[in-house]
Amino acid sequence: MAIANPLFIAVVGVGGVGHCFLSQLAQLAVRRPFPKLRLCYIANSRFAFYHEDHAPINLDLALEYLEKSATAPIPLDSLVDHLAKAPGKAIIVDNTSSQDVANSYPSFLKAGISVVTPNKKAFSGSYELWQNIFGASEASGAKVYHESSVGAGLPIISTLKDLVETGDEVTKIEGVFSGTMSFLFNSFAPVGGGGGKWSDEVKNAKTLGYTEPDPRDDLNGLDVARKLTILARLVGLPVESPTSFPVQSLIPTELESCSSGSEFLEKLPAFDQIMEERKAAADGKVVRFVGSIDVASKKVEVGLRTFDATHPIAALKGSDNIISFYTRRYGNNPLIVQGAGAGGEVTAMGVTADLIKVIAQIAS
Amino acid sequence: MAIANPLFIAVVGVGGVGHCFLSQLAQLAVRRPFPKLRLCYIANSRFAFYHEDHAPINLDLALEYLEKSATAPIPLDSLVDHLAKAPGKAIIVDNTSSQDVANSYPSFLKAGISVVTPNKKAFSGSYELWQNIFGASEASGAKVYHESSVGAGLPIISTLKDLVETGDEVTKIEGVFSGTMSFLFNSFAPVGGGGGKWSDEVKNAKTLGYTEPDPRDDLNGLDVARKLTILARLVGLPVESPTSFPVQSLIPTELESCSSGSEFLEKLPAFDQIMEERKAAADGKVVRFVGSIDVASKKVEVGLRTFDATHPIAALKGSDNIISFYTRRYGNNPLIVQGAGAGGEVTAMGVTADLIKVIAQIAS
């Protein structure tokens, strides 16, 4: 089936995920000669590269062009107009974690421009934004796909959508949604006992690149809360925001005001005893940082829970995520998806796979 | 986005999966008012119900109409013509396990009729049939989706396709692909030791409905070999047939010629010692019946393997399937999907989810 009309792709954000995505996109364009994918816009927060007439940008040289560009990015509302004028359907791939870009999705979608993104902000921000995004998509037929907003390339959102859309009743979702928290607790409280001091484990995780520059951005639980917000909304719970349900922070109150991540790490050992007690209280079980959604009671929670050594959550390794879907059809044994839930390559994979699905639907 | 043109759906096969599918389809049609899904043909192996002018069949009454019908099914090649004449795009949903229906997929696809099915036969038969199916789909643009041909509703095929299409390198696939074998070995050789006599476990599994009427149809490994054939082909290995690679049968040679499943079960206890020795030889590990694909060496195998007690395959419960995808991007910790891999409801779920994906692509 030859497809005549080119598809215009705009990419904003060229950090770790963006780099990997561009490389996957270049490979994709080579492997799949049609539809004609045409990169027509690329931007980071300061610069952009594009042609006024939407002429194609060589995928292999796009990053180089961007590096040399002195052109400012097109403001988001003007970018909507620019892409809407392209002589073919357009898709914006948002590889940023920007709230501003997220806020503009309804405008893109209203203009018939599909959105593909790993950016959690749009789907875990206000419930009004969520409604505006999916309302605009429904009205115009433009698609919005965001697999990598939860668990990176793992098939979490697609699986949940399949369960819901085919009429299964999801009763509970439970899992380890943060690669950082997974790594920390698999080291701190391994099955069979042992593990180092909490503050040492946090330092080690930071050294190995598993935490944000300031580890408090992981330990506050907000990243997990954002992911839970997205999944809860997909099962129909109108969660207002990621701060509208109980989220346990692992930052000692006294250290919330530290002016830097380094100061926080320096003072953390004084609080090791608290975590040591939590580990001891597990009493033969292991302690893990999990998120859960109980659909019937509409209860969404993020925090420490204990699990038997034989539970799949206890058996997790490295920085893997694990997500269990309990449903009416699957009964007592949940549908489980497990694997790396962070990293440039696997996050970009979710984005590229979404792009392929959008193309299959809008290409003509 | 209102969709004007109705989509015509023909359903062949109304056994366990077919029943569940029809019920899910009826719910779907209620929940999603567009595109207009129109059931226009329903058949089992002996009878059919339809209108010459493709008029819609009431989804809630379709089975009743079929039960009362004395009309023979339309022969497959004529059914192609009948559906091609429908005033809109058509989809055939094959809920049979018939090789004949499978053989006709290329004809349906050539005529622009999409195929959705859990039937393994088409994708694990001759490699020529595989090529004809996907060649016909490529040429006409009609879609062919078969998620439930491996692991029922579990996201196995969709995940593998995403990995391959986004350019990941799959290095190994390994797993427990048979609910029957899973149940048998989780009972016969549980982690921590114990378990009953092999012949008792087989009898028990049959009583509980976990085996085919003749358990040899599970124990010969062919069902697993068919699933492996499908996955191997999806990663690009041109596997000729499910009998073109080593498949370990658990039927003692002496019992291959038993004239019935009952005779087989009666004589099986005499061979318990063989399985007992296999369990003992595992030496602290547990024995499981697994399928594996080593992509680099192009080696596909089905048979008994041993696993450490901490391995996810050893931790499996009940009749669950588990499939691990080892890839370049996922590194040492594979992407794992786990859960019920058989049963009417979850198999039908895979079919319905596929149908939704096909509709999203062909509706206009």
Side-chain angles (χ1 to χ4, degrees), chain A residues 40-42 48-55 57 69 71-74 82:
Chain A
C40 70
Y41 182 82
I42 180 168
F49 183 81
Y50 63 99
H51 305 289
E52 272 304 333
D53 64 354
H54 310 91
I57 302 171
S69 172
T71 311
I74 304 179
H82 177 72

Side-chain angles (χ1 to χ4, degrees), chain A residues 10 40-41 54 78-86 88 90 92 108 113:
Chain A
C40 70
Y41 182 82
H54 310 91
S78 308
L79 185 58
V80 171
D81 296 337
H82 177 72
L83 292 177
K85 275 185 223 139
I92 180 159
F108 281 103
I113 299 156

Side-chain angles (χ1 to χ4, degrees), chain A residues 9-15 18-27 29 37-44 47-51 55-71 95:
Chain A
I9 301 190
V11 176
V12 296
V14 291
H19 262 76
C20 293
F21 169 73
L22 281 169
S23 139
Q24 292 181 17
L25 182 64
Q27 287 173 41
L37 295 179
R38 189 183 285 193
L39 180 68
C40 70
Y41 182 82
I42 180 168
N44 58 29
F47 300 107
F49 183 81
Y50 63 99
H51 305 289
I57 302 171
N58 184 314
L59 277 165
D60 297 318
L61 301 175
L63 281 171
E64 237 176 87
Y65 291 148
L66 179 61
E67 268 168 34
K68 290 179 191 158
S69 172
T71 311
N95 288 322

Side-chain angles (χ1 to χ4, degrees), chain A residues 117-118 120 146-153 157 346-351 354:
Chain A
T117 186
K120 283 186 278 290
H146 56 103
E147 182 63 79
S148 284
S149 62
V150 179
I157 289 181
V346 294
T347 305
M349 169 200 153
V351 177
D354 278 352

Side-chain angles (χ1 to χ4, degrees), chain B residues 289-313:
Chain B
F289 193 83
V290 300
S292 66
I293 299 166
D294 186 282
V295 180
S297 67
K298 302 183 182 179
K299 221 162 84 178
V300 184
E301 289 179 322
V302 173
L304 295 173
R305 298 286 176 276
T306 57
F307 295 90
D308 281 329
T310 57
H311 193 286
I313 284 184

Side-chain angles (χ1 to χ4, degrees), chain A residues 184-208:
Chain A
L184 279 173
F185 282 91
N186 296 343
S187 314
F188 171 67
V191 171
K197 281 185 195 163
W198 175 248
S199 58
D200 287 342
E201 297 294 355
V202 175
K203 271 174 214 160
N204 184 39
K206 180 169 153 58
T207 307
L208 293 172

